[in-house]
């Protein structure tokens, strides 16, 4: 490859470093980093956008934040004028798993593939500018290959190399069957990069082997090799396992603001920096400032997490929804531990009533005296907030939660 | 499979056993023998011929006796009314080896494939009745398979199973590369049996893995499984290595009668029974009688080998050529060691002359007295045969060899 970095002006070199810093933020690995710099430099010198590929399995597209790690990275490329190539692996989907052993590879009809692609499209639109995205289906080229083409494709790779893939080598070693056709999935994925002439391919760290295959095959077919950017796998709400729908530790991009915010608040403090890096659209400067402020103590971890929650809700809903979700959370959750199955009481009294009368009328206290005492002891809360004033006039609102002591709760329905 | 043996009459059962004895004579292994019996029984009951396949590599068809081991077996089936399917692997030949590493798999043009097939045809005609042979080219079905078909084909087999093939497992163990496309050669060969619906496939013992693949794939595609008949590899003239052109230890089916006979006479006595079984068209009874007679001493090994030589020459030339080759051998080789560069003398004398005058006129002896003495001492030979009579009248023939003592030779040219 021509050395484009050498051809840059000083100003262009600054631009190269700016983009490189953005793209490399939060990633697991760039294979290889110096080629990524050359690709960016080439794009600057030739004024041509880079083609950045993401391959998608056409089955069951229920997008959660785990998926958005790559989407956010794609967005960074898109914001800098590069072309996002979304590749729907419909050919693989239509074949399914001929052995019928893999549930993930059940055979899909054309209609199902199209429907799933549409679902991806809608959900990805929350991160990417879908009007600028190139959408490709790999059946276009894979279905035209004949036996001779496939023999040539297969001749490009050795069995030993394929057995280097962790799951293959483990299965061979433990006597679990590997059907020969499984060797073709990485080859197909790699061949897609040949057909698309991708400059860069993104993938989760567990796709290491498959995305590198694109590099290998592009070289085999005499094309410029793509750079591979591997992104870390995002741990789910449990902070341990990879975020996934089946584990129930996920935040879906279609979830309601309150759920999204609340789930975000449940992640562990140690995970926060990673979430800021990987699932928010904040600028690199903003991310670095937040991390620095947590580090030096000027930003309380709780406040940082609330900022994270607001950011995520804002990304998938809007600013107002983010604020409301935060208020809701503060009201309902932050100020005390409230059980889920609170007895409900239908309120037919006045809309405004003194706190002492309220407690008696709700049968939470037997007398006004006991009620007053309980308030003075700090044992009464409205929507999680301690009542300090025994003369408080309460405006009755829907779903208001009245708490006495640690265990008595009532939710008011009007 | 239906039990056809149970449906046979007593007479048909005798026919079954007759055929089975012929087909199993001299083979290495039948996989499995009881299915072969069922196939024969089915053919008898339904009065339908069996389809007996032999796959052929389209490269460099220089047929020698090693190849005829399977041809003779095919001939036995043909003689009993079954159909021989010759399968030319032209698809594989046209692809060659995309890695360019295998000399045996160099890419052939359509013309080369056709030329080689024609050469096979001509040479095989010396064993088989080619008018009754079905000739197939596997490009007919293999070239129509698309990627989806091939994925389905590959899904029928595991990587572990393929690695059971000796050369694959050895290469993997010793770090020698196996290109993925090599895994497809046995699959292609097996798929040919699916396409041809073969009942039986023949192969050399070194083809064990590949011919069994046909059985496996037929089952996978819901067809009746073929029976596999493995034939032993024929050792060449050295009695050690497999007969092959490159080793120079072969007898070609196109060789001249004298060469064919002479080479046969050079094989080791221990190899004779195997040669009778595998490369002659003698009946099972004849073979058994010969072997028994050698065993009980009524047939001298030298005479048995001469019978073998005559039989082989007769098969590839005719009865007369066989007899002439034997005479030639007897004359030239059997009765003494004759050097290759004998001085030639042009004879202008009478056609009939006494042996004593002949020796003097040829300057082989200085006087009639010396000549007489030499004859009486047994030192004179004509065409390798000792002259016993000092009064012998010799009929001069072309190329007659006159020998005096151990070193003096003259060849007469007329």
């Amino acid at each position: 490859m021509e050395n484009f970095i050498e051809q840059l002006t000083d100003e262009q070199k600054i631009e190269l470093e700016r983009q490189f810093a953005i793209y490399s933020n939060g990633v697991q690995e760039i294979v290889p980093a110096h080629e990524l710099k050359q690709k960016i430099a080439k794009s600057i010198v030739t004024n041509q956008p880079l083609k950045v590929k993401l391959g998608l399995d056409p089955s069951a597209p229920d997008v959660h934040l785990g998926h958005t790690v790559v989407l956010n990275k794609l967005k960074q490329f898109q914001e800098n004028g590069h072309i996002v190539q979304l590749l729907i692996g419909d050919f693989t989907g239509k074949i399914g798993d001929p052995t019928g052993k893999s549930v993930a590879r059940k055979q899909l009809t054309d209609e199902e593939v199209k429907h799933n692609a549409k679902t991806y499209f809608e959900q990805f639109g929350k991160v990417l500018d879908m009007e600028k995205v190139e959408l490709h289906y790999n059946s276009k080229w894979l279905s035209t290959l004949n036996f001779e083409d496939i023999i040539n494709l297969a001749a490009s790779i050795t069995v030993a190399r394929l057995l280097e893939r962790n799951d293959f080598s483990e299965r061979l070693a433990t006597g679990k069957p590997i059907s020969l056709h499984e060797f073709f999935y990485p080859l197909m994925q790699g061949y897609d990069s040949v057909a698309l002439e991708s400059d860069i391919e993104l993938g989760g760290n567990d796709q290491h082997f498959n995305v590198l295959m694109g590099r290998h095959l592009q070289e085999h077919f005499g094309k410029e090799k793509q750079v591979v950017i591997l992104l870390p796998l995002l741990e789910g709400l449990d902070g341990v396992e990879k975020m996934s729908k089946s584990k129930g530790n996920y935040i879906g991009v279609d979830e309601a603001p309150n759920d999204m915010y609340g789930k975000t608040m449940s992640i562990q403090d140690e995970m926060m920096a990673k979430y800021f890096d990987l699932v928010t659209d904040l600028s690199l400067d903003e991310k670095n400032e937040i991390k620095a402020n947590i580090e030096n103590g000027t930003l309380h971890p709780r406040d940082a997490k609330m900022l994270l929650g607001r950011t995520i809700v804002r990304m998938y809903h809007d600013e107002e929804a983010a604020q409301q979700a935060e208020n809701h959370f503060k009201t309902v959750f932050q100020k005390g531990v409230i059980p889920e199955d609170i007895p409900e009481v239908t309120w037919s009294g006045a809309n405004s009533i003194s706190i002492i009368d309220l407690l008696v009328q709700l049968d939470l206290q037997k007398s006004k005296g006991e009620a007053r005492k309980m308030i003075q002891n700090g044992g009464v809360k409205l929507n999680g907030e301690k009542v300090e004033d025994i003369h408080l006039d309460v405006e009755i609102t829907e779903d208001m939660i009245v708490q006495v002591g640690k265990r008595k709760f009532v939710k008011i329905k009007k």
Side-chain angles (χ1 to χ4, degrees), chain A residues 369-393:
Chain A
E370 278 180 21
R372 188 183 302 114
K373 213 164 157 190
M374 182 58 84
I375 296 166
Q376 285 167 337
N377 289 338
V380 175
K381 290 181 186 172
L382 289 179
N383 281 339
E385 282 199 80
K386 199 185 283 178
V387 176
E388 313 271 13
D389 178 6
I390 60 167
H391 302 297
L392 180 72
D393 273 324

Side-chain angles (χ1 to χ4, degrees), chain A residues 283-328:
Chain A
S283 73
L284 192 49
D285 286 345
E286 289 170 313
K287 290 172 184 176
N288 288 337
E289 196 187 332
I290 291 164
K291 286 187 271 183
N293 287 344
I294 296 174
E295 197 70 25
N296 65 30
T298 57
L299 182 63
H300 190 278
R302 185 200 58 227
D303 296 331
K305 211 182 283 181
M306 289 168 77
L307 171 59
L308 179 64
R310 282 201 308 277
T311 305
I312 292 172
V313 177
R314 189 254 305 147
M315 285 170 70
Y316 297 101
H317 298 278
D318 57 27
E319 192 68 61
E320 198 189 332
Q323 196 53 57
Q324 283 177 357
E326 180 159 292
N327 291 345
H328 175 82

